[in-house]
Amino acid sequence: LKKAKKEQSHYFFYDDSSEDSLYTYEMENELHRAIKNKEIVVYYQPQFNMKTGELFGFEALARWRHPKKGLVPPNQFIPLAEDTGLIIPMTELIIDQVCQDYVSWQRSEMNVPSVSINISANHFMKESLVEDLLAAKQTYQIPDDALQIEITESIMMDIENGIEALTQLREAGIKISIDDFGTGYSSLRYIRELPIDFIKIDRSFVNRIDQSDENMIDFIIQLSKLSSVQVVAEGVETKEQINYLLSKGCEVGQGFYYFKPMPTEEVFGLKVG
Ligand code: C2E
Ligand code: MG
Ligand code: MG
Ligand code: MG
């Protein structure tokens, strides 16, 4: 058995022949097939103005509708997609799906102000991403300010390249949001100088385990005021959290208190106002 395995090892993408790489190789093949068969689908989590209850927009979140395993969450396939480069065709598929869904919401006269798409840091640095986004916006005639991308702070590490791409997107009417803010390496300078529209307060702070989380929320909100970006809270689960955020001046939020991410069919049935 050991020998057979060794002989096969040249088929493997990874250069060692441990169980791990066998697993990864199969997963990679499967993921490749999943993209081709459109098993990667988009769920949407609504975002609200917590003061008025108005719909602010949706965050698009990837799911793998696996024929055997059921609905697989993104943390179980996004890292592999990033490592193998499959994140590129996968994101193309997601962008396309989001635009199609947006158009069908429009047709049914739903007023959806915006929809935001998560973009992996290493993918962001590829020129093709900006091109893909602009092409999709054009093809589906998505109005200005309706599309948003969410990127994490790690992008700012490579600021010189990032700034050009961000500017290009923004000039084309696509908004920029910094995701999971406060969990990575941030520089105040970057927040001030980068063309950014929103910063998202990470769920770990919204949970408010201790005083330092509250300090962090305060800090992020103050920072947003100084740099005229808008804050969005993620992972809002209780009325108490909502009241706290509102008292601090954060008005937009998303979380299980309102809705979990839902398939596009359910978005049509959403009663908001
Ligand atoms: P994220 O962008 O920070 O998304 C927020 C995550 O928090 C989502 O998990 C969402 O379902 C979850 N969440 C929202 N509200 C609550 C709440 O009240 N309580 C709790 N416990 N969780 C809440 P999800 O969908 O599993 O996504 C996890 C991460 O995977 C995302 O974090 C994002 O980094 C990544 N991801 C998801 N879709 C994509 C995608 O299309 N492309 C890329 N590159 N990454 C994606
Ligand atoms: Mg996000
Ligand atoms: Mg987030
Ligand atoms: Mg987060």
Side-chain angles (χ1 to χ4, degrees):
L1 186 78
K2 204 146 190 163
K3 190 158 172 265
K5 224 174 130 185
K6 208 165 190 165
E7 277 166 3
Q8 280 175 7
S9 68
H10 65 278
Y11 291 115
F12 299 153
F13 181 77
Y14 290 88
D15 54 14
D16 67 295
S17 55
S18 66
E19 298 291 343
D20 266 3
S21 51
L22 176 63
Y23 176 76
T24 305
Y25 176 74
E26 284 177 348
M27 280 282 290
E28 186 186 344
N29 267 345
E30 245 199 294
L31 193 54
H32 194 86
R33 191 214 62 220
I35 295 166
K36 217 176 77 194
N37 298 346
K38 300 197 158 70
E39 287 170 22
I40 306 298
V41 297
V42 183
Y43 272 45
Y44 296 94
Q45 186 175 41
Q47 304 168 314
F48 293 98
N49 180 311
M50 299 185 285
K51 200 155 97 184
T52 64
E54 265 177 307
L55 182 68
F56 177 83
F58 290 99
E59 178 174 4
L61 294 156
R63 300 286 182 266
W64 183 350
R65 221 171 247 160
H66 195 284
K68 294 203 192 78
K69 294 177 198 154
L71 205 62
V72 180
N75 61 355
Q76 287 179 36
F77 63 90
I78 295 281
L80 178 66
E82 288 172 344
D83 289 348
T84 55
L86 284 171
I87 193 70
I88 294 175
M90 181 183 294
T91 307
E92 276 171 26
L93 183 66
I94 289 166
I95 292 170
D96 208 61
Q97 194 58 61
V98 165
C99 291
Q100 277 181 36
D101 287 338
Y102 185 89
V103 168
S104 23
W105 298 329
Q106 264 185 326
R107 284 211 189 101
S108 70
E109 279 164 29
M110 271 192 76
N111 177 25
V112 176
S114 74
V115 54
S116 73
I117 301 172
N118 290 282
I119 303 294
S120 296
N122 56 355
H123 184 194
F124 183 77
M125 289 308 166
K126 300 242 161 43
E127 262 167 47
S128 64
L129 176 74
V130 172
E131 284 164 20
D132 287 347
L133 281 165
L134 299 191
K137 183 175 181 284
Q138 172 92 29
T139 305
Y140 291 97
Q141 310 230 315
I142 311 291
D144 281 355
D145 301 341
L147 277 184
Q148 245 182 66
I149 60 159
E150 296 190 10
I151 51 181
T152 54
E153 289 159 286
S154 49
I155 279 165
M156 300 187 218
M157 304 292 282
D158 193 356
I159 201 64
E160 304 305 329
N161 292 321
I163 205 155
E164 202 187 308
L166 291 175
T167 307
Q168 236 183 316
L169 287 171
R170 232 171 161 221
E171 279 169 359
I174 295 173
K175 298 217 162 201
I176 317 289
S177 181
I178 301 294
D179 206 355
D180 304 336
F181 191 79
T183 62
Y185 301 95
S186 349
S187 155
L188 301 188
R189 203 194 102 217
Y190 291 160
I191 289 300
R192 227 185 50 211
E193 291 177 5
L194 278 183
I196 287 167
D197 301 285
F198 305 99
I199 48 187
K200 296 187 78 172
I201 305 178
D202 192 65
R203 174 155 57 95
S204 58
F205 306 121
V206 173
N207 279 344
R208 292 201 292 133
I209 306 298
D210 58 31
Q211 183 62 43
S212 74
D213 294 328
E214 294 190 0
N215 294 344
M216 195 65 187
I217 292 176
D218 275 352
F219 172 73
I220 294 172
I221 292 171
Q222 289 309 315
L223 183 64
S224 77
K225 284 178 182 153
L226 287 174
S227 44
S228 58
V229 300
Q230 200 177 347
V231 277
V232 176
E234 64 173 29
V236 174
E237 292 184 355
T238 66
K239 188 74 195 161
E240 197 228 325
Q241 289 167 352
I242 291 173
N243 290 337
Y244 183 81
L245 289 161
L246 284 175
S247 77
K248 294 293 175 180
C250 169
E251 290 193 352
V252 180
Q254 64 184 95
F256 294 176
Y257 177 82
Y258 295 107
F259 291 99
K260 289 188 171 172
M262 59 183 83
T264 186
E265 309 85 73
E266 279 174 37
V267 171
F268 288 101
L270 204 61
K271 293 275 176 293
V272 292

